[in-house]
Amino acid sequence: MRAALMMLTSVFVLGACASFDPEAVSDSGKLTIGVGTPVLASKETQSVATRRADAADDPEIWADPRDPSRVVIFGTDKQAGLYTYDIEGRITGFIPDGRLNNVDLRGGFATPDGERVLVAASDRGRMGAALYLMDPDTLKLRPWGVVPLDLAEPYGLCMGRRAGGFLVIVNGTDGQVRQVKVEVGADGKFKATEEKRFGVATQTEGCVVDDEKGLLYLGEEGKGIWRFDLAPGATQGTLIAAAPSAMLAPDVEGLTLLREGPVTWLIASSQGDSSFAVWRVDGAEPVFKGRFSAVGGNGVDPVTGTDGVAALGGVVGPYGEGLVVVQDDVDSEGEGQDATRARQNFKLIDWRAVKAALGL
């Protein structure tokens, strides 16, 4: 699986090692298999090429609304750039854009060349949000520019839509958050307008937007999950899930939403015990529903020290009710004493397996 990546490695791994980066050291400690209800991953992606302890970070999923068999999975290598994968986990593209951390997207973005999928990634090298446009017909992805942001270090990122507008929300290692509206300017280039800024006390990363309810969920790594109103103006957050707790073991990492008709699920990456917590959030208040972990099987190694997580409901390629994609801190090869630490990658989990495991 890694032979196909050797040429990519030679291109950028030397640059990634040029200076010390605290993110080169994995956040994961003991790298134990998760303690949540066991679920088997169905597939895994090819590993990212960077040979560092901490590289793969955050995934995102796009399925063509016209033909959900056409699927693109995005994944960041936080030392090197942005990957795209097909539904089998094979690499289909790579943009060597440096230190990208979290990635998100929204479709239906109107441009002079037609509707595009707007993709954004937090950019720790260029200190902002890197923007990309994907043609939904050709699936070709191209860089569109970088929105500069005055954050200590851009870290987490998520996107949203409100009244036809496209939002990019970026948070930093100091807990500060910037909410920016992105549109196409008269010159065809992007136009970014800051809507508001706020923050929490300590480091943040994972976030996700509920477009329908106008809410932002934000993970404060050592404290828990906050909920904020997405509307412009003063922002007062509510802590909806504390960490450490029976639900979350710090660090709180990736956050994602999965919709099933009127039902919406919030999934959080509980890195401290390699598990994923699930809440139902379409009601007035979140309702905790349980925790799961991706264990070894189907020729796929177990998920440990997990970071980013993405989910998409409905038909996603061969996944009839939805797909969950999670980062794996160590993509192990072999079994038992013969297992070796390898590069990091992403695991694909059938949402039906999660529902069955948790009785959802």
Side-chain angles (χ1 to χ4, degrees):
M1 181 167 67
R2 288 154 184 81
L5 300 179
M6 293 304 291
M7 291 184 65
L8 281 174
T9 304
S10 64
V11 172
F12 59 79
V13 70
L14 292 177
C17 296
S19 60
F20 173 73
D21 177 2
E23 284 299 310
V25 179
S26 171
D27 292 328
S28 182
K30 297 181 181 179
L31 296 175
T32 55
I33 298 172
V35 298
T37 302
V39 174
L40 290 178
S42 58
K43 294 182 184 296
E44 62 183 338
T45 69
Q46 290 178 274
S47 300
V48 300
T50 298
R51 293 180 179 272
R52 298 190 121 191
D54 200 14
D57 192 281
D58 189 51
E60 190 49 73
I61 310 163
W62 177 84
D64 192 336
R66 305 164 300 181
D67 178 4
S69 68
R70 302 176 73 239
V71 179
V72 179
I73 298 171
F74 297 82
T76 60
D77 178 335
K78 64 167 64 175
Q79 311 298 338
L82 182 63
Y83 282 93
T84 55
Y85 303 90
D86 65 17
I87 196 63
E88 297 297 322
R90 296 174 296 229
I91 294 172
T92 58
F94 175 75
I95 297 179
D97 253 1
R99 300 167 63 208
L100 306 182
N101 213 67
N102 284 28
V103 61
D104 202 359
L105 60 84
R106 287 294 187 274
F109 185 69
T111 77
D113 299 320
E115 285 197 351
R116 295 291 184 263
V117 179
L118 178 61
V119 181
S122 51
D123 192 325
R124 297 162 50 237
R126 293 172 291 186
M127 300 300 292
L131 303 179
Y132 306 86
L133 295 175
M134 186 180 78
D135 186 329
D137 294 326
T138 66
L139 305 186
K140 289 184 178 180
L141 183 71
R142 68 175 180 87
W144 197 36
V146 178
V147 179
L149 296 167
D150 62 337
L151 290 167
E153 183 179 10
Y155 207 55
L157 177 144
C158 52
M159 294 183 62
R161 293 187 69 168
R162 188 191 62 239
F166 288 73
L167 304 176
V168 176
I169 296 106
V170 186
N171 60 69
T173 52
D174 59 353
Q176 288 298 300
V177 182
R178 303 290 182 263
Q179 181 171 310
V180 178
K181 182 177 181 179
V182 175
E183 54 195 326
V184 180
D187 57 1
K189 299 179 180 180
F190 75 83
K191 177 183 177 183
T193 306
E194 181 178 308
E195 285 197 336
K196 65 179 176 180
R197 54 178 58 197
F198 55 98
V200 294
T202 62
Q203 182 167 317
T204 54
E205 184 172 3
C207 65
V208 67
V209 171
D210 185 334
D211 293 345
E212 292 185 6
K213 297 183 75 171
L215 297 173
L216 166 71
Y217 295 94
L218 175 71
E220 186 175 2
E221 290 192 351
K223 187 167 184 178
I225 302 172
W226 293 86
R227 183 181 62 201
F228 293 91
D229 194 313
L230 202 63
T235 297
Q236 183 67 41
T238 301
L239 188 68
I240 64 165
S245 67
M247 298 177 288
L248 295 167
D251 288 348
V252 179
E253 294 287 344
L255 297 179
T256 190
L257 292 171
L258 187 147
R259 298 189 189 282
E260 290 186 294
V263 178
T264 304
W265 307 99
L266 172 67
I267 305 172
S269 173
S270 175
Q271 188 179 71
D273 55 10
S274 302
S275 301
F276 301 89
V278 180
W279 293 262
R280 183 169 174 176
V281 293
D282 48 275
E285 294 298 330
V287 178
F288 180 65
K289 292 302 213 177
R291 290 152 43 84
F292 70 93
S293 294
V295 298
N298 296 326
V300 180
D301 61 296
V303 171
T304 53
T306 185
D307 201 312
V309 57
L312 184 62
V315 178
V316 183
Y319 301 92
E321 296 181 25
L323 172 65
V324 181
V325 179
V326 305
Q327 184 261 13
D328 183 12
D329 190 78
V330 176
D331 179 25
S332 302
E333 293 181 317
E335 297 181 358
Q337 293 182 344
D338 296 326
T340 59
R341 287 173 61 101
R343 304 182 187 98
Q344 298 179 337
N345 72 346
F346 303 94
K347 266 57 175 180
L348 281 64
I349 303 170
D350 193 323
W351 175 240
R352 290 172 293 193
V354 176
K355 291 203 297 182
L358 299 184
L360 302 181

